[in-house]
């Protein structure tokens, strides 16, 4: 197994070694895995093209390391522990042996449907064990998985399928989420009606058993395809730098891009970071509440924990069903030792009252984690006191879809914790701050733009089908640096505090969204001439979505119009992108060159109009007053 640091001295030592001799440090970690062929060179890189390769020439299959490798020692240990949406239903568990067999059978079914190494397979599924099984099956045959969060709309799903020309979609019939029953297969059908010609097969898992339409020749039932397969499936030999998966994420411009992660480096770093951040010990039960549709689920529900031989919980439901005590009831029932969730969930549960958490026994918790967005001080203290209860420190983990794994975080019981601080970099991670000109911001008690100056094994390699976009987005702002898009502070002791995005990306309930993406969706409404979207502080969601809309014809019923906008956004992207506030305006404040002054719109949306700066140079200063007067508070 990869190194697990146990003390501050060991952390400092590991960090120093990882900086002085990164190749030696990571080669040592990589040695602990099963390689079909050892690598020839540990690292080759430049951030100019960019071109980053780890463990060059190595051959491996990540599923042999997630599964086969554990069979001798922990074959009968639970690998996946499934908690269904309905609390009255029994848990389902897969031991490592059972998971191995299920993955091999599914992999054989994929092969029988013509899926080969390098093919792309799209997933649109709820949080059921079959999702993890099929993702691993994909990796086993060398196909590239592209998991799409099952809350996205048919249009968003179609966009992603087309961008990566997937050959197959794996979905379920329906999805149980809280009291809702969502027709998953129907969304897939709607998406495929939008010219997704590359799709040859739809593999449908019967989840709830509801009625679905099956298209002859294209749609196949999981149980008919998988159950009869052999449980023996040799793992495809993958190059370290072969693609493992694509995961779409939003940026400041255009449509979401497919972030590409590769096999070798991702494997090494997710296992390493999992073991250190959560200090997982044999026999522990680990639970991350994310959805596998996001990077957190990829790295810290599936790959990291399984690589480390952990017992990982998969939860189908939502935090507030049947009531706001569900998370804590499950922690109590399953005797969870490490718990990992998002600030938006913490804030939502905090608002429901302490009685939901106080009544449960949380004494097994050793570490509680936070991820996805800045955690505010009040939520941090509530989480610390009500959930951590003095025996489980908070790890506020900062990272991104692009980083593949946790980058900056406290290590529980090893480094101290400070509210709202992600604290110190992981071994192997070299963050720096620069100013807007790219000059290094040195010393402590300073603020700047967060960059990383040296490659780490799980960093993105490209954006699918468009390497230039990857270069421009992450590597062109500052020479020889990976730019994260986040601003950060470094305190007097060198701890980092993430302030938030400095670009046009907003973070709503931990879901990352581009303002341009939401604007494009709103603009699909036939009576919208132009729109501008900004984020504003929201008590529960972290950020809410505020849309300013210029209309063509007068609307007699503004509420009805707003509902139409919400429907359009739901259709184009999904309900997670619905604006919280829609203000109809006659114009948008613009510079003389026609650029929307988002700074002003952000201030108005945040009810902070005290210092708007000089507006006299605007093309249309008069609209500022109108925008302020009509602001929705
Ligand atoms: O702004 C940062 C915020 O989430 C962004 C990355 O979003 P995504 O790629 O969806 O990945 C989320 C899960 C890893 C970052 O650029 N972010 C993530 N974690 C934190 C955070 N902001 C503050 N504190 C964090 N712990």
């Amino acid at each position: 197994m990869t190194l697990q640091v146990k003390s501050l001295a060991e952390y400092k030592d590991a960090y120093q070694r990882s900086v002085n001799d990164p190749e030696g440090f990571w080669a040592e970690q990589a040695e602990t895995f099963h390689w079909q062929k050892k690598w020839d060179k540990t690292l080759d890189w430049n951030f100019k093209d960019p071109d980053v390769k780890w463990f060059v020439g190595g051959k491996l299959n990540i599923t042999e390391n997630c599964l086969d490798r554990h069979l001798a020692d922990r074959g009968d240990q639970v690998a996946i522990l499934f908690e269904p949406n309905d609390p009255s239903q029994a848990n389902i568990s897969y031991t490592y042996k059972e998971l191995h067999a299920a993955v091999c059978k599914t992999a054989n079914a994929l092969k029988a449907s013509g899926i080969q190494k390098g093919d792309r397979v799209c997933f649109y599924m709820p949080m059921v064990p079959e999702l993890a099984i099929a993702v691993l099956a994909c990796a086993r045959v060398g196909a590239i998985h592209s998991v799409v969060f099952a809350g996205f709309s048919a249009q968003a799903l179609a966009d992603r399928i087309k961008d990566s020309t997937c050959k197959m979609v794996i979905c379920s019939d329906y999805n149980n989420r809280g009291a809702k029953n969502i027709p998953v297969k129907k969304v897939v059908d709607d998406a495929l009606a939008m010219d997704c010609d590359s799709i040859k097969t739809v593999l449908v898992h019967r989840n709830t058993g509801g009625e679905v339409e099956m298209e002859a020749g294209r749609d196949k039932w999981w149980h008919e395809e998988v159950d009869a397969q052999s449980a023996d499936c040799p793992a495809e030999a993958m190059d370290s730098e072969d693609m493992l998966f694509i995961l779409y994420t939003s940026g400041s411009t255009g449509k979401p891009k497919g972030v590409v992660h590769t096999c070798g480096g991702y494997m090494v770093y997710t296992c390493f970071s999992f073991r250190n951040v959560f200090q997982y010990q044999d026999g522990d039960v680990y639970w991350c509440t994310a959805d596998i549709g996001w990077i957190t689920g990829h790295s810290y529900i599936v790959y990291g924990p399984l690589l480390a031989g952990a017992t990982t919980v998969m939860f189908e439901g939502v935090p507030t069903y049947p009531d706001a005590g569900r998370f804590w009831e499950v922690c109590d029932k399953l005797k969870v030792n490490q718990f990992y969730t998002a600030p938006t969930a913490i804030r939502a549960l905090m608002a429901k009252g302490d009685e939901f958490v106080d009544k449960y026994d949380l004494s097994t918790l050793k570490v509680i984690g936070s991820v996805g967005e800045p955690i505010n001080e009040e939520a941090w203290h509530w989480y610390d006191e009500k959930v951590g209860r003095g025996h489980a420190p908070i790890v506020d983990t900062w990272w991104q879809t692009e980083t593949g794994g946790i980058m900056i975080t406290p290590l529980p019981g090893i480094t101290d914790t400070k509210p709202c601080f992600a604290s110190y970099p992981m071994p192997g991670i070299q963050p720096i701050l620069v100013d807007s000109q790219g000059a290094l911001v040195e010393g402590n008690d300073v603020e700047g733009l967060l960059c990383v100056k040296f490659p780490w094994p799980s960093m993105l390699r490209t954006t699918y089908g468009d390497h230039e976009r990857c270069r421009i987005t992450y590597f062109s702002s500052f020479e020889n640096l990976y730019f994260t898009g986040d601003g950060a502070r470094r305190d007097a002791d060198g701890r980092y505090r993430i302030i938030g995005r400095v670009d046009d990306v907003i973070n709503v309930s931990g879901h990352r969204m581009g303002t341009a993406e939401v604007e494009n969706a709103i603009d699909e409404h036939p009576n919208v001439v132009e729109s501008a979207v900004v984020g504003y502080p929201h008590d529960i969601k972290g950020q809410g979505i505020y849309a300013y809309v210029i209309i063509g014809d007068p609307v007699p019923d503004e509420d009805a119009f707003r509902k139409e906008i919400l429907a359009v956004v739901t259709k184009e992207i999904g309900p997670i992108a619905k604006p919280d506030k829609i203000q109809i305006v006659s114009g948008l404040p613009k510079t003389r060159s026609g650029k929307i002054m988002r700074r002003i719109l952000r201030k108005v949306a945040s009810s902070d109009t005290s210092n708007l700066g000089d507006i006299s140079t605007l093309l249309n200063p008069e609209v500022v007053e109108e925008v302020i007067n009509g602001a929705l508070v």
Side-chain angles (χ1 to χ4, degrees), residues 130-260:
E130 286 74 11
L131 170 55
I133 290 167
V135 158
L136 291 164
C138 227
R140 190 139 185 115
V141 303
I144 300 160
H145 52 81
S146 167
V147 183
V148 177
F149 174 61
F152 279 118
S153 68
Q155 179 67 57
L157 175 61
D159 291 343
R160 287 157 176 75
I161 289 172
K162 284 191 265 195
D163 186 72
S164 49
T165 52
C166 293
K167 229 170 152 177
M168 182 189 249
V169 184
I170 305 185
C171 67
S172 57
D173 50 4
Y174 290 81
N175 173 8
N176 289 320
R177 247 175 102 73
K180 292 189 200 145
N181 183 248
I182 299 155
V184 178
K185 169 69 164 60
K186 171 79 173 61
V187 179
V188 172
D189 289 338
D190 291 348
L192 297 189
M194 302 180 203
D195 304 323
C196 294
D197 306 335
S198 57
I199 296 292
K200 302 289 175 256
T201 312
V202 179
L203 189 62
V204 188
H205 172 244
R206 186 171 276 163
N207 185 33
T208 67
E211 282 285 307
V212 294
E213 275 179 33
M214 298 290 278
E215 189 180 297
R218 186 194 71 181
D219 301 352
K220 299 175 178 175
W221 283 109
W222 171 292
H223 53 273
E224 288 172 5
E225 299 299 310
V226 173
D227 292 356
Q229 294 289 344
S230 146
D232 179 26
C233 179
E236 188 71 34
M238 304 297 284
D239 192 273
S240 296
E241 287 299 334
D242 278 340
M243 288 187 200
L244 175 63
F245 66 86
I246 304 167
L247 188 56
Y248 284 86
T249 193
S250 298
S252 355
T253 55
K255 295 230 175 210
K257 49 190 171 285
V259 166
V260 170

Side-chain angles (χ1 to χ4, degrees), residues 247-250 259 294-297 300 340 343 370-375 395-406 408 420-422 450 482 484-487 497-503 505-507 510-513:
L247 188 56
Y248 284 86
T249 193
S250 298
V259 166
W294 312 112
I295 190 69
T296 308
Y300 299 112
Y340 193 28
S370 170
V371 60
E373 49 180 319
I375 180 166
V395 288
D396 176 359
T397 63
W398 172 82
W399 57 296
Q400 309 177 295
T401 305
E402 295 85 344
T403 70
I406 295 167
I408 303 182
C420 312
F421 278 76
L450 182 62
Y482 165 80
T484 64
D486 281 317
R497 174 179 188 154
I498 310 302
I499 300 166
R501 303 290 304 195
V502 295
D503 53 10
V505 170
I506 50 178
N507 198 324
H511 300 320
R512 179 169 155 181
M513 243 168 282

Side-chain angles (χ1 to χ4, degrees), residues 308-602:
T311 297
T312 177
V313 175
M314 261 184 90
F315 175 46
E316 187 184 22
V318 294
T320 47
Y321 177 83
D323 65 35
R326 185 71 190 273
F327 275 179
W328 324 123
E329 183 245 333
V330 174
C331 283
D332 184 343
K333 179 175 70 173
L334 301 181
K335 304 205 174 351
V336 170
N337 302 108
Q338 291 90 3
F339 177 75
Y340 193 28
T341 197
T344 189
I346 298 167
R347 287 189 295 263
L349 298 181
M350 181 171 80
K352 299 277 183 187
D354 295 350
E355 62 274 22
F356 289 104
V357 61
D358 286 347
K359 65 180 173 191
Y360 292 105
D361 177 2
L362 300 179
S363 60
T364 52
L365 287 177
K366 296 192 281 190
V367 181
I368 53 176
S370 170
V371 60
E373 49 180 319
I375 180 166
N376 51 309
E377 196 139 353
E378 193 190 355
W380 194 97
H381 284 297
W382 186 86
Y383 197 31
D384 189 44
E385 283 157 28
K386 290 288 158 187
V387 183
R389 299 181 187 173
H391 50 80
I394 296 177
V395 288
D396 176 359
T397 63
W398 172 82
W399 57 296
Q400 309 177 295
T401 305
E402 295 85 344
T403 70
I406 295 167
M407 303 286 278
I408 303 182
T409 176
L411 295 180
I414 295 172
T415 59
D416 56 10
T417 60
K418 182 173 171 184
C420 312
F421 278 76
S423 298
Y424 301 106
M426 286 288 290
I429 306 305
Q430 301 188 38
I432 59 164
L433 298 178
V434 299
D435 66 18
S436 56
Q437 305 306 309
L440 189 62
V441 177
E442 286 178 295
N444 287 344
D445 217 1
V446 290
E447 202 170 301
L449 303 171
L450 182 62
C451 295
V452 187
K453 70 172 184 192
F454 195 84
W456 62 102
S458 64
M459 68 185 294
L460 88 161
R461 301 299 197 262
T462 188
T463 45
Y464 192 84
D466 193 350
H467 193 63
E468 180 62 2
R469 188 164 178 200
C470 170
R471 187 187 71 76
I472 291 175
T473 311
Y474 308 104
F475 298 93
S476 71
S477 305
F478 310 111
E479 206 178 331
N480 279 325
L481 297 176
Y482 165 80
F483 175 44
T484 64
D486 281 317
R489 275 201 74 72
R490 191 164 52 224
D491 77 0
D493 302 308
R495 293 183 201 87
Y496 286 89
R497 174 179 188 154
I498 310 302
I499 300 166
R501 303 290 304 195
V502 295
D503 53 10
D504 289 322
V505 170
I506 50 178
N507 198 324
V508 181
S509 301
H511 300 320
R512 179 169 155 181
M513 243 168 282
T515 50
E517 209 183 327
V518 183
E519 288 162 7
N520 290 340
I522 293 174
D523 295 350
E524 289 293 317
H525 188 289
N527 196 25
V528 170
V529 176
E530 193 178 5
S531 65
V533 164
V534 295
Y536 71 96
H538 187 287
D539 285 349
I540 304 288
K541 298 177 172 186
Q543 278 189 299
I545 304 179
Y546 195 118
Y548 299 87
V549 176
I550 303 175
I551 51 176
D553 302 322
V555 290
D557 180 348
E558 288 195 5
D559 277 343
F561 172 72
R562 287 195 178 92
K563 284 198 183 112
E564 287 167 23
I565 297 278
L566 299 186
V568 171
V569 173
T570 303
K571 176 171 167 286
E572 293 293 316
I573 305 175
I576 56 175
K578 285 196 294 198
D580 298 275
K581 296 180 181 178
I582 301 169
Q583 181 181 350
I584 298 171
V585 292
S586 68
L588 293 165
K590 289 190 177 167
T591 61
R592 289 187 191 278
S593 60
K595 208 167 159 246
I596 297 173
M597 288 294 284
R598 289 172 185 281
R599 186 176 52 78
I600 293 176
L601 296 179
R602 273 196 287 267

Side-chain angles (χ1 to χ4, degrees), residues 273-311:
S273 51
F274 173 77
R275 279 171 50 76
N276 283 286
V277 175
F278 298 103
Q279 288 292 309
Y280 186 89
Q281 304 301 318
D282 270 349
D284 284 350
V285 175
Y286 161 88
W287 180 20
C288 166
T289 69
D291 191 290
I292 294 177
W294 312 112
I295 190 69
T296 308
H298 282 62
S299 301
Y300 299 112
I301 295 177
V302 182
Y303 287 114
L306 295 178
L307 287 163
T311 297

